[in-house]
Amino acid sequence: MSASARTSARAASLNAGRVLTELIRDPAMLGMEMLLPVFFLFLTVVGYSRESLPRTWIVEAESSALAARPGLEEAMRAARHSDGRPAFELEAARDGDGPGAAAASRRAALVLRQGSDGSLVLEGDAMSKDYVAASNRIEELLDDLEPERAGGLRLVSAAPAFRSPASDFEAFVPGMMVFAVLLLIPQTALIVGRDSRRGALDRLSGAGMGAAAYVGGVALSQAAFALAQGVVLVALSLAIGYPFGPAPLAAAAGSLAILVLLGLGSVAQGLVVGAFAKSDSSAINVGSVVAMMQVFISGSFFSMPAPVVASIGHPGLASYAAIRAYDFVPATHAVDALRRAMLDGGSGAAGPVAAMTVLTLAYFAASAAFFRRRFMRPR
Amino acid sequence: MGPSLTLVDITKRYGEVVAVDSLGLEVRPGEVLGLLGPNGAGKTTTIGVICGLVAADSGRVLLDGVDLAGSAALRRTIGYCPQSLVVWDRLGCLEQLVFMARLYGASRADALRSGKALLAALGLEEKAGVQARRLSGGMQRRLNLALALVHGPRLAVLDEAEAGLDPQSRSLVRDYIRGLAGERTVLFTTHDMDEAQRIADRVAIVDGGRLLELDSPSALLGRYGEDGRSAPDLEYVFLKLTGRRLRE
C-alpha cells in the first residue's frame, strides 16, 4: 500500500469514528436508524394477515358474456391456485340488469359483462388488489383460449422462479425490511448536509482529507449501522415467525448479507444526494423523496410499470429482454434477492446480488467524483 | 521561527466581481499581521486562497519561498480558523481536538497532549469532556480556534477568530495569539481596530481586493495624523483609507 493510500485509509477510519460517535450520541438519528426498522416490522405483524393468499375470487358473470366465449366458464371453474384451491367462484349476474348480490355487497372481485360492441368488460374497483389479480388471471385464461388475441404469438408465461408468498404477511415482510434499510439514504444525506452546512468539509479538506477518505469514512460508519439494522431485522423476522424456507438459519444469514449490501447501496445513494445538498433540511427532504420513490418502483409492496430504457428483441418473444428504470435501483434487486432468500433458500439470488453489487460500486464511485468536484478541491 | 508568507499578484474573480485584484503581500517570519478591510474587501477570499480552499485565477502563494500550489504537505503546516463556528456538536472538546490532530498525522498520545495543553491555554480545561453543543458561544469560539492550532501549525490563519467573544475571553485569546508570535507566523482578520492595534506587528488594509496600506499601527497613526499630530486610532486611519460608504 502506498503512503498516500495509507494516509487516506487512516483519514477514512478517523472520519468513520467521528461520524459513528456523533450518530450514537444523537437520539433522533439513532432512533431513525435503529427503532424505525423495529416499528416497521411491528406494523407488518399487526397489519398484515397470515391467512393464505391469494383468496378464491368471487366473480359475477353475465351468461351472455360467458356464452360469447366458449370454454371460458369451464376454464375459470378449473383454474386453481398453486396450493390447489379454486381460483374463481362464479356467480350469475343478470344480463344488463345491474350488480348481483355479491357485487352489491362488494364481495365480488369483479363482474364479467358483455359489452355492447361485443367486447368483454371486466367491471370492478381497479384499485383493488383482488380486481387486479383476478382480471390478470382471466386474461391468461383468455390467452390460452384465444391465442390470436396476442397477435398470433403466445405470450411468454413463466412459472414463478421461486416459491410465491402464501400470505400478505409473507409478501410484505421482505418489502418492509427493504423500506427500513432505504431510510439510510436520507440519514446519510443528512450527515453530509450537516457537515457541508457547518463548514466541516472545508476544515477536513484543509487537514488533507480527500473525497475518497471522506466518503469512505461516512460509508464505514453507516455500514456499521447497516449491519446492526440487518441483524435486528432478521432476528425480529425469525422471532415473529417468518417461514425462512427449508433451511432457516442459512436463509437468515443470506438475508442478512443482502440487507447489508442494500444498506451499503443506500449509503452510496445518500452520499450522492448529500453531495448536492446545501443544508440539513434539503439533504433529508431530497433523500426521503429518493427513498420513497424507490419503495414504489422497486416493487417492495406492489409491482409498478416503469419505462423501458433499453431492450433487446421484440416484446412477446421469449428472447425479449428489457432494461427498465427500476433496474438502476439497488432496492429492486434487493427485494428480488430477499424474497428468494427468505422464501426459497436463496435459489437464483446470485443474479440480483451481482446487480446490487455493481450498482452499489457505481453509486460509491459517483459520490466520490461529485465530492471531489463540489467540496474537496479549491472553489 | 514561523515561516514567511508571500502573496504574489493574487487575483480572484467571481463572474464580473473582482474579489481580489493583483494582491501582493509579505508576512514576515514570526510576525503577527492583521488583515483589515470593510465587508466584501476580499479578506476571506484571500485567506481561502492561502489555505487552498479557493483557487486563484492567477498569482502565487509562497511559504518560505516555496510555492504552495500542489504541495499538500506544505499546506498541512497551515492552521486555519474559519469565520463561522466549525465544531462538532456531539463530540467532547478534547475528542474533537484529538480527532483533528490525528487527521494531521499526530499519534494518539501526542494528540492528547497537544489537545489538553490547548484547552488549558484557552481556558477550556474543565470542559475537556463536555460536548460542544453544551458550551457557551464564547467557549465554542475558543474551541474553534483550538481546532485550528492543535496540530502545531507553523502558519496560523485566523478569520475573525475573536468575533462574538466577551471582553474576558477576548483578552485571553488576544494574549494567546500574541504569544504565538515568533515561533509561528500569524495572519488574522478582524473588524475590531482596537484589537488589531493591540496585537498586530503590522496591519494590511485592503479594499476592493487591493492592498491600500501595509505598516505597523504606530507608523500608520503617524502617517495619517493631521496638524503634526498622530491619528487618534487605527479606526480613524481605516475610515480615511476606505471611506464611510456602507458596504453590502
Side-chain angles (χ1 to χ4, degrees):
Chain A
M1 190 189 269
S2 70
S4 72
R6 268 201 306 275
T7 306
S8 190
R10 177 186 155 91
S13 93
L14 286 168
N15 196 35
R18 190 264 304 177
V19 174
L20 204 54
T21 308
E22 284 201 286
L23 282 177
I24 287 168
R25 289 178 185 168
D26 186 341
M29 288 286 276
L30 196 60
M32 205 155 112
E33 299 220 357
M34 297 312 301
L35 293 181
L36 269 184
V38 175
F39 178 66
F40 283 175
L41 276 193
F42 172 74
L43 271 186
T44 318
V45 172
V46 298
Y48 292 110
S49 165
R50 292 174 192 242
E51 285 173 18
S52 289
L53 176 148
R55 52 186 276 202
T56 296
W57 300 299
I58 297 173
V59 173
E60 278 191 1
E62 289 181 350
S63 55
S64 54
L66 293 174
R69 285 157 192 85
L72 179 59
E73 183 175 354
E74 290 72 21
M76 287 180 71
R77 290 190 191 285
R80 291 285 180 274
H81 288 310
S82 54
D83 58 4
R85 286 172 302 115
F88 299 101
E89 185 181 319
L90 282 169
E91 291 189 9
R94 283 163 295 180
D95 290 7
D97 196 21
S105 64
R106 303 181 69 87
R107 284 187 303 113
L110 55 85
V111 180
L112 287 182
R113 291 196 188 285
Q114 179 67 4
S116 54
D117 60 352
S119 63
L120 181 66
V121 178
L122 279 65
E123 197 174 278
D125 176 3
M127 297 301 286
S128 138
K129 193 174 66 181
D130 284 334
Y131 172 86
V132 173
S135 57
N136 280 342
R137 190 69 186 269
I138 290 171
E139 195 163 0
E140 283 174 18
L141 297 177
L142 285 169
D143 283 344
D144 282 337
L145 294 170
E146 305 169 17
E148 68 278 8
R149 287 178 72 254
L153 289 169
R154 177 72 189 88
L155 285 173
V156 177
S157 130
F162 55 94
R163 182 174 80 76
S164 300
S167 66
D168 281 345
F169 175 73
E170 281 189 33
F172 291 137
V173 166
M176 212 48 118
M177 291 165 112
V178 167
F179 183 15
V181 174
L182 283 175
L183 290 178
L184 282 169
I185 297 174
Q187 287 150 12
T188 306
L190 177 60
I191 292 168
V192 177
R194 199 178 275 179
D195 275 348
S196 168
R197 187 251 308 154
R198 62 187 171 191
L201 294 174
D202 280 350
R203 176 152 257 169
L204 297 173
S205 170
M209 182 182 285
Y214 180 81
V215 165
V218 175
L220 270 176
S221 66
Q222 289 295 82
F225 271 102
L227 179 63
Q229 269 189 349
V231 168
V232 167
L233 286 167
V234 171
L236 270 177
S237 307
L238 284 165
I240 61 179
Y242 194 88
F244 270 90
L249 283 180
S255 304
L256 175 60
I258 292 163
L259 287 172
V260 172
L261 185 56
L262 174 65
L264 288 172
S266 303
V267 170
Q269 292 173 81
L271 284 164
V272 172
V273 172
F276 292 96
K278 289 194 168 65
S279 66
D280 309 24
S281 55
S282 73
I284 200 143
N285 289 340
V286 177
S288 300
V289 169
V290 170
M292 289 308 297
M293 224 162 53
Q294 291 190 38
V295 170
F296 292 118
I297 69 171
S298 66
S300 291
F301 297 110
F302 45 82
S303 58
M304 280 276 282
V308 173
V309 177
S311 64
I312 302 166
H314 190 277
L317 293 175
S319 61
Y320 178 68
I323 297 173
R324 294 176 182 275
Y326 52 56
D327 287 323
F328 295 98
V329 173
T332 304
H333 308 286
V335 175
D336 189 7
L338 207 52
R339 286 190 177 137
R340 289 170 189 273
M342 292 179 74
L343 289 166
D344 209 14
S347 67
V353 166
M356 284 171 75
T357 308
V358 169
L359 287 172
T360 300
L361 291 174
Y363 281 117
F364 270 126
S367 66
F370 290 139
F371 265 88
R372 199 168 293 124
R373 204 168 164 72
R374 278 184 58 88
F375 298 116
M376 308 309 230
R377 71 168 193 176
R379 293 184 284 272
Chain B
M1 180 63 82
S4 65
L5 172 72
T6 312
L7 306 186
V8 184
D9 219 13
I10 300 289
T11 297
K12 175 66 184 177
R13 290 185 185 83
Y14 293 105
E16 297 294 305
V17 178
V18 183
V20 182
D21 190 2
S22 303
L23 182 68
L25 178 68
E26 175 153 13
V27 188
R28 296 169 185 154
E31 176 180 49
V32 177
L33 187 133
L35 185 61
L36 312 180
N39 289 335
K43 303 184 299 290
T44 298
T45 304
T46 303
I47 280 181
V49 171
I50 294 168
C51 298
L53 301 172
V54 174
D57 296 325
S58 62
R60 293 189 303 154
V61 181
L62 310 174
L63 202 63
D64 270 343
V66 181
D67 199 331
L68 274 174
S71 175
L74 215 51
R75 281 209 192 281
R76 285 158 73 94
T77 64
I78 300 174
Y80 166 55
C81 178
Q83 192 173 329
S84 54
L85 271 177
V86 184
V87 296
W88 287 282
D89 293 347
R90 290 182 189 273
L91 293 189
C93 294
L94 184 57
E95 253 174 347
Q96 41 198 307
L97 288 175
V98 169
F99 166 66
M100 280 307 288
R102 297 198 70 201
L103 212 50
Y104 277 101
S107 68
R108 184 163 180 78
D110 285 347
L112 269 170
R113 198 175 310 119
S114 166
K116 282 178 181 172
L118 258 174
L119 289 179
L122 291 170
L124 292 169
E125 199 168 18
E126 289 174 7
K127 304 293 179 186
V130 177
Q131 292 178 21
R133 68 197 173 99
R134 300 201 186 284
L135 300 177
S136 68
M139 288 177 177
Q140 290 187 348
R141 279 260 154 223
R142 282 182 268 153
L143 178 61
N144 199 36
L145 174 62
L147 284 165
L149 301 173
V150 71
H151 62 294
R154 296 179 65 221
L155 169 67
V157 180
L158 317 175
D159 195 2
E160 295 188 33
E162 297 166 39
L165 289 177
D166 62 20
Q168 286 80 6
S169 297
R170 202 160 56 233
S171 167
L172 177 83
V173 169
R174 180 192 305 149
D175 291 345
Y176 185 77
I177 293 174
R178 196 53 245 174
L180 294 173
E183 194 184 338
R184 298 192 174 100
T185 303
V186 180
L187 173 67
F188 73 97
T189 71
T190 182
H191 285 297
D192 186 336
M193 300 298 138
D194 181 48
E195 201 69 39
Q197 197 168 339
R198 283 167 190 251
I199 62 175
D201 295 313
R202 292 190 301 157
V203 293
I205 299 177
V206 293
D207 197 11
R210 286 182 162 274
L211 181 65
L212 303 179
E213 267 294 4
L214 171 64
D215 215 330
S216 66
S218 57
L220 289 175
L221 293 179
R223 193 176 308 152
Y224 288 90
E226 287 173 358
D227 304 328
R229 284 184 299 186
S230 289
D233 51 30
L234 202 53
E235 185 165 303
Y236 177 87
V237 177
F238 181 85
L239 288 173
K240 203 163 180 178
L241 283 165
T242 59
R244 290 184 173 272
R245 181 174 58 85
L246 292 177
R247 310 304 167 91
E248 288 177 2

Coordinates of all heavy atoms in Angstrom, one line a residue, chain A residues 7 10-11 14-15 17-18 21-22 25-27 194-195 197-200 202-209 377-379, chain B residues 12 52-55 76 80-82 85-92 95 99-100 102-106 131 144 147-148:
Chain A
T7 N -2.4 7.0 4.2 CA -2.9 8.3 4.8 C -4.4 8.4 4.6 O -5.1 8.8 5.5 CB -2.2 9.5 4.1 OG1 -0.8 9.3 4.2 CG2 -2.6 10.8 4.8
R10 N -6.2 5.9 6.8 CA -6.2 6.4 8.2 C -7.3 7.5 8.4 O -8.0 7.6 9.3 CB -4.8 6.9 8.5 CG -4.6 7.5 9.9 CD -3.2 8.1 10.0 NE -3.1 9.1 11.0 CZ -2.8 9.0 12.2 NH1 -2.5 7.8 12.7 NH2 -2.7 10.0 13.1
A11 N -7.3 8.5 7.4 CA -8.3 9.6 7.5 C -9.7 9.0 7.4 O -10.6 9.5 8.1 CB -8.0 10.5 6.3
L14 N -10.6 7.5 10.8 CA -10.8 8.5 11.8 C -12.1 9.2 11.6 O -12.9 9.5 12.5 CB -9.7 9.6 11.7 CG -8.3 9.2 12.3 CD1 -7.2 10.2 11.9 CD2 -8.4 9.0 13.8
N15 N -12.4 9.5 10.3 CA -13.7 10.1 10.0 C -14.9 9.2 10.3 O -15.9 9.6 10.8 CB -13.8 10.5 8.5 CG -14.9 11.4 8.2 OD1 -15.2 12.3 9.0 ND2 -15.5 11.3 7.0
G17 N -15.0 7.0 12.7 CA -15.1 7.0 14.2 C -15.8 8.3 14.6 O -16.7 8.3 15.5
R18 N -15.5 9.4 14.0 CA -16.1 10.7 14.3 C -17.6 10.6 14.0 O -18.4 11.0 14.8 CB -15.4 11.8 13.5 CG -15.7 13.2 13.8 CD -16.8 13.8 12.9 NE -16.6 13.7 11.5 CZ -17.5 14.2 10.6 NH1 -18.6 14.7 11.0 NH2 -17.3 14.1 9.3
T21 N -19.5 8.2 16.4 CA -19.7 8.7 17.7 C -20.8 9.8 17.7 O -21.6 9.8 18.6 CB -18.3 9.4 18.2 OG1 -17.3 8.5 18.0 CG2 -18.4 9.8 19.6
E22 N -20.8 10.6 16.7 CA -21.9 11.7 16.7 C -23.2 11.0 16.5 O -24.2 11.4 17.2 CB -21.6 12.6 15.5 CG -20.5 13.6 15.8 CD -20.6 14.8 14.8 OE1 -20.3 14.7 13.6 OE2 -21.0 15.9 15.3
R25 N -24.6 9.4 19.7 CA -25.0 10.3 20.7 C -26.2 11.2 20.3 O -26.6 12.1 21.1 CB -23.8 11.3 21.0 CG -22.7 10.5 21.8 CD -21.5 11.5 22.0 NE -20.4 10.7 22.6 CZ -19.2 11.2 22.7 NH1 -18.9 12.4 22.2 NH2 -18.2 10.5 23.2
D26 N -26.7 10.9 19.1 CA -27.8 11.7 18.7 C -29.1 10.9 18.7 O -29.3 10.0 17.8 CB -27.6 12.2 17.2 CG -28.6 13.2 16.7 OD1 -29.7 13.2 17.3 OD2 -28.3 13.9 15.7
P27 N -30.0 11.1 19.7 CA -31.1 10.2 19.9 C -32.0 10.2 18.7 O -32.5 9.1 18.3 CB -31.8 10.8 21.1 CG -30.9 11.7 21.8 CD -29.9 12.1 20.8
R194 N -25.1 18.2 7.0 CA -24.8 18.8 8.2 C -23.3 19.3 8.1 O -22.9 20.4 8.5 CB -25.0 17.9 9.3 CG -25.1 18.5 10.7 CD -25.3 17.5 11.7 NE -26.8 17.2 11.9 CZ -27.2 16.2 12.7 NH1 -26.4 15.5 13.5 NH2 -28.5 16.0 12.8
D195 N -22.4 18.4 7.7 CA -21.0 18.7 7.5 C -20.8 19.8 6.6 O -19.9 20.7 6.8 CB -20.2 17.5 7.1 CG -19.8 16.6 8.2 OD1 -20.0 17.0 9.4 OD2 -19.4 15.4 8.0
R197 N -23.1 22.2 5.7 CA -23.6 23.4 6.2 C -22.7 24.1 7.3 O -22.5 25.3 7.3 CB -25.0 23.2 6.8 CG -25.8 24.4 7.2 CD -25.9 24.5 8.8 NE -26.4 23.3 9.4 CZ -26.1 23.0 10.7 NH1 -25.4 23.8 11.4 NH2 -26.6 21.9 11.2
R198 N -22.1 23.3 8.1 CA -21.4 23.9 9.2 C -19.9 24.2 8.8 O -19.1 24.6 9.6 CB -21.4 23.1 10.5 CG -20.9 21.7 10.4 CD -21.2 21.0 11.7 NE -20.9 19.6 11.6 CZ -21.3 18.7 12.5 NH1 -22.0 19.0 13.6 NH2 -21.0 17.4 12.4
G199 N -19.6 23.9 7.6 CA -18.2 24.2 7.1 C -17.2 23.1 7.4 O -16.0 23.4 7.3
A200 N -17.7 22.0 7.9 CA -16.7 21.0 8.4 C -15.9 20.4 7.2 O -14.8 19.9 7.4 CB -17.5 19.9 9.1
D202 N -14.7 22.0 4.7 CA -13.5 22.8 4.4 C -12.5 22.5 5.5 O -11.3 22.4 5.2 CB -13.9 24.3 4.5 CG -14.5 24.8 3.2 OD1 -14.5 24.0 2.3 OD2 -15.1 25.9 3.2
R203 N -12.9 22.4 6.7 CA -11.9 22.1 7.8 C -11.2 20.8 7.6 O -10.0 20.6 7.7 CB -12.7 22.1 9.1 CG -11.8 21.8 10.3 CD -12.3 22.4 11.6 NE -11.5 23.6 11.9 CZ -11.7 24.5 12.8 NH1 -12.8 24.4 13.5 NH2 -10.9 25.5 13.1
L204 N -12.0 19.8 7.2 CA -11.4 18.4 6.9 C -10.5 18.5 5.7 O -9.5 17.9 5.7 CB -12.6 17.4 6.7 CG -13.5 17.2 8.0 CD1 -14.6 16.3 7.6 CD2 -12.7 16.6 9.1
S205 N -11.0 19.2 4.7 CA -10.2 19.3 3.5 C -8.9 20.0 3.8 O -7.8 19.6 3.2 CB -11.0 20.1 2.4 OG -10.3 20.4 1.3
G206 N -9.0 21.0 4.6 CA -7.7 21.7 5.0 C -6.7 20.8 5.7 O -5.5 21.1 5.6
A207 N -7.3 19.8 6.4 CA -6.4 18.9 7.1 C -5.9 17.8 6.2 O -5.2 16.8 6.6 CB -7.1 18.3 8.3
G208 N -6.2 17.9 4.9 CA -5.7 17.0 3.9 C -6.6 15.8 3.6 O -6.2 14.9 2.9
M209 N -7.8 15.9 4.1 CA -8.7 14.7 3.8 C -9.3 14.9 2.4 O -9.8 15.9 2.1 CB -9.9 14.7 4.8 CG -10.8 13.5 4.6 SD -12.2 13.5 5.8 CE -11.4 12.9 7.2
R377 N -12.0 20.3 -3.2 CA -11.0 20.9 -4.0 C -11.2 22.4 -4.0 O -12.3 22.9 -3.7 CB -11.0 20.4 -5.5 CG -12.2 20.8 -6.2 CD -12.1 20.5 -7.7 NE -13.1 21.2 -8.5 CZ -13.1 21.1 -9.8 NH1 -12.3 20.4 -10.5 NH2 -14.1 21.8 -10.4
P378 N -10.2 23.2 -4.3 CA -10.4 24.7 -4.3 C -11.6 25.1 -5.2 O -11.8 24.6 -6.3 CB -9.1 25.2 -4.8 CG -8.1 24.2 -4.6 CD -8.9 22.9 -4.7
R379 N -12.4 26.0 -4.6 CA -13.6 26.5 -5.4 C -13.1 27.6 -6.4 O -12.3 28.4 -6.1 CB -14.6 27.0 -4.4 CG -15.2 25.9 -3.6 CD -16.3 26.5 -2.7 NE -15.8 27.2 -1.6 CZ -15.4 26.7 -0.4 NH1 -15.6 25.4 -0.2 NH2 -15.0 27.4 0.6
Chain B
K12 N -8.6 37.0 -8.0 CA -9.7 36.1 -8.0 C -11.0 36.8 -8.4 O -11.4 37.8 -7.7 CB -9.9 35.4 -6.6 CG -11.1 34.5 -6.5 CD -11.0 33.3 -7.3 CE -12.2 32.4 -7.3 NZ -12.1 31.2 -8.2
G52 N -5.9 27.1 0.4 CA -6.2 26.1 -0.6 C -7.6 25.8 -0.8 O -8.0 24.9 -1.4
L53 N -8.5 26.7 -0.2 CA -9.9 26.4 -0.3 C -10.5 27.2 -1.5 O -11.6 26.8 -2.0 CB -10.7 26.9 1.0 CG -10.2 26.3 2.3 CD1 -10.8 26.9 3.5 CD2 -10.6 24.8 2.3
V54 N -9.8 28.2 -1.9 CA -10.3 29.0 -3.1 C -9.1 28.9 -4.1 O -8.0 29.1 -3.8 CB -10.6 30.4 -2.7 CG1 -10.9 31.3 -3.9 CG2 -11.7 30.5 -1.7
A55 N -9.5 28.7 -5.4 CA -8.5 28.6 -6.4 C -8.3 30.0 -7.0 O -9.3 30.6 -7.5 CB -8.9 27.6 -7.5
R76 N -0.4 21.4 5.0 CA -0.7 20.9 6.3 C 0.0 21.6 7.4 O -0.2 21.3 8.6 CB -0.4 19.4 6.3 CG -1.5 18.6 5.5 CD -1.0 17.2 5.1 NE -0.9 16.3 6.2 CZ -1.8 15.4 6.5 NH1 -2.9 15.4 5.9 NH2 -1.6 14.6 7.5
Y80 N -6.0 26.7 10.0 CA -7.0 27.7 9.5 C -8.2 27.7 10.5 O -8.8 26.7 10.8 CB -7.5 27.3 8.1 CG -8.7 28.0 7.6 CD1 -8.8 29.3 7.6 CD2 -9.8 27.2 7.2 CE1 -10.0 29.9 7.2 CE2 -11.0 27.8 6.7 CZ -11.0 29.2 6.7 OH -12.2 29.8 6.3
C81 N -8.5 28.9 11.0 CA -9.6 29.1 11.9 C -10.7 29.8 11.1 O -10.5 31.0 10.8 CB -9.3 29.8 13.1 SG -10.7 30.1 14.2
P82 N -11.8 29.2 10.7 CA -12.8 29.9 9.8 C -13.6 30.9 10.6 O -13.7 30.8 11.9 CB -13.7 28.7 9.3 CG -13.5 27.6 10.3 CD -12.1 27.8 10.9
L85 N -18.5 29.1 13.0 CA -18.1 28.1 14.0 C -18.1 26.8 13.4 O -19.2 26.3 12.9 CB -19.2 28.1 15.1 CG -19.0 29.1 16.3 CD1 -20.1 29.0 17.3 CD2 -17.7 28.7 17.1
V86 N -17.0 26.1 13.4 CA -17.0 24.8 12.8 C -16.5 23.8 13.9 O -15.3 23.5 14.0 CB -16.0 24.7 11.6 CG1 -16.1 23.3 11.0 CG2 -16.4 25.7 10.6
V87 N -17.5 23.4 14.7 CA -17.2 22.5 15.8 C -18.2 21.3 15.6 O -19.3 21.5 15.0 CB -17.3 23.1 17.2 CG1 -16.3 24.2 17.4 CG2 -18.7 23.7 17.4
W88 N -17.9 20.2 16.2 CA -18.8 19.1 16.1 C -19.6 19.0 17.3 O -19.1 18.7 18.4 CB -18.1 17.8 15.8 CG -17.6 17.7 14.4 CD1 -18.3 17.5 13.3 CD2 -16.3 18.1 13.9 NE1 -17.6 17.6 12.1 CE2 -16.3 18.0 12.5 CE3 -15.1 18.5 14.5 CZ2 -15.2 18.2 11.7 CZ3 -14.0 18.7 13.7 CH2 -14.0 18.6 12.3
D89 N -20.9 19.2 17.2 CA -21.8 19.4 18.4 C -21.7 18.3 19.4 O -21.8 18.5 20.6 CB -23.3 19.6 17.9 CG -23.5 20.8 17.1 OD1 -22.6 21.7 17.2 OD2 -24.5 21.0 16.5
R90 N -21.7 17.1 18.9 CA -21.8 16.0 19.8 C -20.5 15.3 20.2 O -20.5 14.2 20.7 CB -22.8 15.0 19.3 CG -24.2 15.5 19.3 CD -25.3 14.6 18.9 NE -26.6 15.2 18.8 CZ -27.4 15.4 19.8 NH1 -27.2 14.9 20.9 NH2 -28.6 16.0 19.6
L91 N -19.4 16.0 19.8 CA -18.1 15.5 20.3 C -17.6 16.3 21.4 O -17.8 17.5 21.5 CB -17.1 15.5 19.1 CG -17.3 14.6 17.9 CD1 -16.0 14.7 17.0 CD2 -17.5 13.2 18.3
G92 N -16.9 15.7 22.4 CA -16.4 16.4 23.5 C -15.2 17.3 23.0 O -14.7 17.1 21.9
E95 N -12.1 15.4 22.6 CA -12.3 14.4 21.5 C -12.1 15.0 20.1 O -11.4 14.4 19.3 CB -13.8 13.9 21.5 CG -13.9 12.5 22.1 CD -15.4 12.2 22.2 OE1 -16.3 13.1 22.2 OE2 -15.7 11.0 22.4
F99 N -9.2 14.3 17.4 CA -9.6 13.9 16.0 C -8.8 14.7 15.0 O -8.2 14.2 14.1 CB -11.1 14.0 15.9 CG -11.6 14.0 14.4 CD1 -11.5 12.8 13.7 CD2 -12.1 15.1 13.8 CE1 -11.9 12.8 12.4 CE2 -12.6 15.1 12.5 CZ -12.4 13.9 11.8
M100 N -8.8 16.0 15.2 CA -8.2 16.9 14.2 C -6.6 16.7 14.2 O -6.0 16.6 13.1 CB -8.5 18.4 14.5 CG -9.8 18.8 14.0 SD -10.1 18.5 12.2 CE -9.0 19.7 11.4
R102 N -5.0 14.0 15.0 CA -4.7 12.7 14.4 C -4.8 12.8 12.9 O -4.1 12.1 12.1 CB -5.5 11.6 15.0 CG -5.2 11.5 16.5 CD -5.7 10.2 17.0 NE -4.9 9.1 16.5 CZ -5.3 7.8 16.4 NH1 -6.5 7.5 16.9 NH2 -4.5 6.9 15.9
L103 N -5.8 13.6 12.4 CA -6.0 13.7 11.0 C -4.8 14.4 10.3 O -4.5 14.1 9.2 CB -7.2 14.6 10.8 CG -8.1 14.4 9.6 CD1 -8.5 13.0 9.4 CD2 -9.4 15.3 9.7
Y104 N -4.1 15.2 11.1 CA -2.9 15.8 10.6 C -1.7 14.9 10.8 O -0.6 15.3 10.5 CB -2.6 17.1 11.3 CG -3.4 18.3 10.7 CD1 -4.6 18.8 11.3 CD2 -2.9 19.0 9.6 CE1 -5.3 19.8 10.8 CE2 -3.6 20.0 9.1 CZ -4.8 20.5 9.7 OH -5.5 21.6 9.2
G105 N -1.9 13.7 11.3 CA -0.8 12.7 11.4 C -0.2 12.5 12.8 O 0.7 11.7 12.9
A106 N -0.7 13.2 13.8 CA -0.2 13.0 15.1 C -0.6 11.7 15.7 O -1.6 11.1 15.4 CB -0.7 14.1 16.1
Q131 N -19.5 18.0 25.6 CA -19.8 18.1 24.1 C -20.0 19.6 23.7 O -20.5 20.4 24.5 CB -21.1 17.4 23.8 CG -21.0 15.9 24.0 CD -22.3 15.1 23.7 OE1 -23.2 15.7 23.0 NE2 -22.4 13.9 24.2
N144 N -13.2 26.6 18.5 CA -13.0 26.7 17.1 C -11.5 27.1 16.8 O -10.9 26.6 15.8 CB -13.9 27.9 16.6 CG -14.2 27.8 15.1 OD1 -14.2 26.8 14.5 ND2 -14.3 29.0 14.5
L147 N -9.1 24.2 17.5 CA -9.1 23.2 16.4 C -8.2 23.5 15.3 O -7.6 22.7 14.6 CB -10.5 23.0 15.9 CG -11.5 22.2 16.8 CD1 -12.9 22.4 16.3 CD2 -11.1 20.7 16.7
A148 N -7.9 24.9 15.1 CA -7.0 25.3 14.0 C -5.6 25.2 14.4 O -4.7 25.1 13.6 CB -7.3 26.8 13.7

